[in-house]
Amino acid sequence: FRFVVRRPALPPPPPVVAPSEPLLLYANRRDLRLVDAARDKANATVVVGGLEDAAAVDYVYAQGLIYWSDVSEEAIKRTSFNRTGAGAAQTVVPGLAAPDGLACDWLGLKLYWTDSDTNRIEVAELDGSLRKVLFWQELDQPRAIALDPERGFMYWTDWGEVPKIERAGMDGTNRSLLVDQDIHWPNGLTVDYGQQKLYWADAKHNFIHRCNLDGSSREVVVKGELPHPFALTLYEDTLFWTDWNTHSIHSCRKQTGREQRIVHSHIFSPMDLHVFSPKRQPVCDSPCSHGNAGCSHLCLLSPTRPFYRCACPTGVQLLEDGQTCRDGATQMLLLARRTDLRQISLDTPDFTDVILQVDDIRHAIAIDYDPVDGYVYWTDDDVKAIRRARLDGGDAQFVVTSQVSHPDGIAVDWIARNLYWTDTGTDRIEVTRLDGTMRKILISEDLDEPRAIVLDPVAGYMYWTDWGEFPKIERADLDGLERLVMVNTSLGWPNGLALDYEQRQIYWGDAKTDKIEVMNMNGTGRRVLVEDKLPHIFGFSLLGDFVYWTDWQRRSIERVHKRTAEREFIIDQLPDLMGLKATHLHRTTGESADVTRGRGLARERLLSFLPFFFLALIAVGKQLFGVH
């Protein structure tokens, strides 16, 4: 979520083929092909071959670029294309789920796509950078997407439980419903720019209809003669579409639906379709073409004055000047799944999860973050180790690898620069320096199934849960001394634990009693915060006004407001959820000032804090270095 601005380096416009018109570009799953629609029984030319599952396709004619989505490879790719052929394929947007729809903004030079698995509509620069989620709510199965850059609108179909066709500004504003009656499987979608009409094909009702760009004046074009239409495009007075059942490309007069003919047949698996012509992408002046309109990052075309809007990559806030983006996210939710780590910015409402590029994660369980040096720490139960890496996946290291059985909970002491963890195999609580040196066993007696561990470095305490035969929540000094049972009644499987430093309260989640409870740090005022629809809490964290948790059975991440008890889903239906950590990226918990990165400045912070927790640090030092 931190980034450096780099304007996309586009290849120079190459000389583009100029055959008789119209030339049709279509995806055939295994390849992309061009066919001359003016010729009878035309042979198709393979543009890009050897593909896995090419579904959607589009192009930027003036730049000589062809884009396509590959559902099997879960990516969007592109190639340059001129009269000598196509260049090497390049992945521009990886890490997608089901990229069904794709559309190129040839004026603003942006790439738009739909994902029918994540139910999102996103946009990025043509090189895939500065990716942003535009829509993530009230989408079920978004498929086709079409753009009208001159007017600043985008259109899309949704064939989910409530089928519909919608439109919005290409900047994500002014969303409106156009069609929701007599519609079932709206597959194909195309815009008639000259007559300002929207055409779509329905594979369930076997028709092609059209309407005005605002959804009014709906008309029938072709009805009852279409076995399974999929993609749709037009050129001047002719409408073209692919059909799954006939394995062909068909055409008709766009006004009457008459003069139907088969343009091209015996296609392996016809998918998306576009007329490949500069007439379909007329070039005119764009506000984003002049110094990026002053935007620091994305400049998106808009239907309202000044006909553009500055936007930021997903998870990053736009500053009050309306042009400049923050230097990355400020609040983050870090998530451990069995085989990957993810981050979700809490600065923006879309809650898009992004995978950290760390290799060979076998079974991650607990996760924590050091806001001083910027490392993510996690336990891996399969390789029996504790690891760390930067947020961008760089500088990945093993911190603890020996005498680890089942590492479970983990906690960073951001002041004394120590790392604590629980081990349910050895039944120990241990500590080490953040780099894995100076390891020490703190507690090894009367532990049955220790799990979550959290720290209060300013007060000098650590807290942990034990879900064994006699479940309890305990506290001790950071050196393991002065051990005290805080809670040992009405507990089952206390999996999650979190501290509210400002309000001096302890929160925990119990996967057996199915409750989230809270009490004061002095042990008084115990009460239930949530006790409904909590089938199996595991990961648990607190930041600001919200408590966050993962649920194994619901496959979800939720949060609840600690005062109003209002709940909200962060992510739904994501399997293999484990631990999570909500954190400020550049600020230690409870502080109001940013912490400057760097170990030298961290030492200066440490010296400024010494009057408040000198005794706690001395106690830890005695244990670590054997000072008596």
Side-chain angles (χ1 to χ4, degrees), residues 157-443:
T157 67
D158 191 320
W159 58 276
E161 186 175 346
V162 182
K164 57 193 173 182
I165 299 175
E166 295 186 82
R167 87 166 177 181
M170 290 167 61
D171 58 352
T173 63
N174 299 289
R175 182 176 178 178
S176 63
L177 178 65
L178 299 186
V179 180
D180 64 348
Q181 300 295 319
D182 192 21
I183 185 171
H184 197 85
W185 290 341
N187 281 339
L189 189 68
T190 193
V191 178
D192 184 338
Y193 303 114
Q195 296 192 358
Q196 299 188 37
K197 296 286 186 178
L198 185 69
Y199 288 76
W200 72 95
D202 194 302
K204 177 69 174 180
H205 294 319
N206 311 115
F207 63 57
I208 295 174
H209 282 193
R210 68 168 169 252
C211 66
N212 293 333
L213 295 181
D214 61 0
S216 63
S217 302
R218 179 172 176 173
E219 299 174 292
V220 176
V221 180
V222 181
K223 184 176 182 180
E225 305 166 32
L226 310 173
H228 196 118
F230 187 73
L232 195 63
T233 188
L234 60 79
Y235 179 77
E236 295 181 346
D237 293 330
T238 306
L239 198 62
F240 301 89
W241 67 92
T242 56
D243 193 290
W244 280 5
N245 284 16
T246 66
H247 294 270
S248 300
I249 298 173
H250 301 255
S251 72
C252 71
R253 291 293 181 184
K254 70 177 184 182
Q255 291 297 124
T256 64
R258 297 174 182 173
E259 300 182 37
Q260 292 189 35
R261 72 183 184 98
I262 295 177
V263 175
H264 185 55
S265 59
H266 305 295
I267 302 173
F268 167 68
S269 183
M271 300 295 289
D272 201 7
L273 173 73
H274 283 280
V275 168
F276 189 76
S277 168
K279 293 182 180 179
R280 284 293 290 169
Q281 295 188 347
V283 178
C284 63
D285 192 38
S286 166
C288 293
S289 63
H290 301 285
N292 206 42
C295 300
S296 67
H297 292 79
L298 289 166
C299 178
L300 303 180
L301 298 180
S302 171
T304 57
R305 291 185 181 277
F307 304 116
Y308 75 91
R309 188 171 68 94
C310 298
C312 301
T314 292
V316 180
Q317 290 177 322
L318 186 68
L319 298 180
E320 292 182 0
D321 65 4
Q323 293 184 311
T324 309
C325 299
R326 285 189 181 275
D327 184 20
T330 61
Q331 297 183 82
M332 191 74 72
L333 189 63
L334 298 170
L335 171 65
R337 297 178 69 234
R338 287 183 183 271
T339 55
D340 66 46
L341 307 178
R342 304 193 178 199
Q343 55 183 349
I344 301 171
S345 172
L346 298 175
D347 290 356
T348 55
D350 53 273
F351 300 138
T352 300
D353 57 308
V354 177
I355 297 176
L356 274 66
Q357 299 303 309
V358 181
D359 296 329
D360 200 31
I361 296 176
R362 304 290 184 84
H363 191 169
I365 296 182
I367 191 168
D368 204 359
Y369 179 71
D370 173 25
V372 177
D373 285 340
Y375 278 103
V376 179
Y377 292 79
W378 71 95
T379 59
D380 193 312
D381 188 59
D382 189 68
V383 301
K384 301 185 185 306
I386 298 174
R387 301 178 62 189
R388 73 177 182 180
R390 302 286 186 183
L391 279 173
D392 62 2
D395 199 19
Q397 306 170 20
F398 282 85
V399 179
V400 181
T401 57
S402 63
Q403 299 182 39
V404 177
S405 180
H406 293 292
D408 207 332
I410 191 172
V412 171
D413 180 346
W414 65 89
I415 295 176
R417 318 304 296 147
N418 296 323
L419 181 68
Y420 291 72
W421 73 93
T422 62
D423 193 315
T424 61
T426 61
D427 292 331
R428 295 173 180 171
I429 296 176
E430 299 190 57
V431 66
T432 183
R433 302 296 289 173
L434 289 179
D435 61 2
T437 61
M438 301 293 183
R439 180 173 172 179
K440 176 75 175 180
I441 298 173
L442 293 179
I443 298 177

Side-chain angles (χ1 to χ4, degrees), residues 15 17 81-86:
V17 283
F81 182 71
N82 57 31
R83 65 182 61 185
T84 63

Side-chain angles (χ1 to χ4, degrees), residues 515-550:
K515 294 178 181 178
I516 294 175
E517 297 189 67
V518 58
M519 72 177 184
N520 298 321
M521 285 186 178
N522 61 10
T524 64
R526 178 177 177 179
R527 64 183 177 86
V528 175
L529 179 64
V530 181
E531 56 181 341
D532 183 41
K533 297 179 180 178
L534 297 171
H536 199 114
I537 293 176
F538 188 77
F540 202 76
S541 190
L542 183 146
L543 182 66
D545 291 330
F546 294 96
V547 177
Y548 299 81
W549 70 92
T550 61

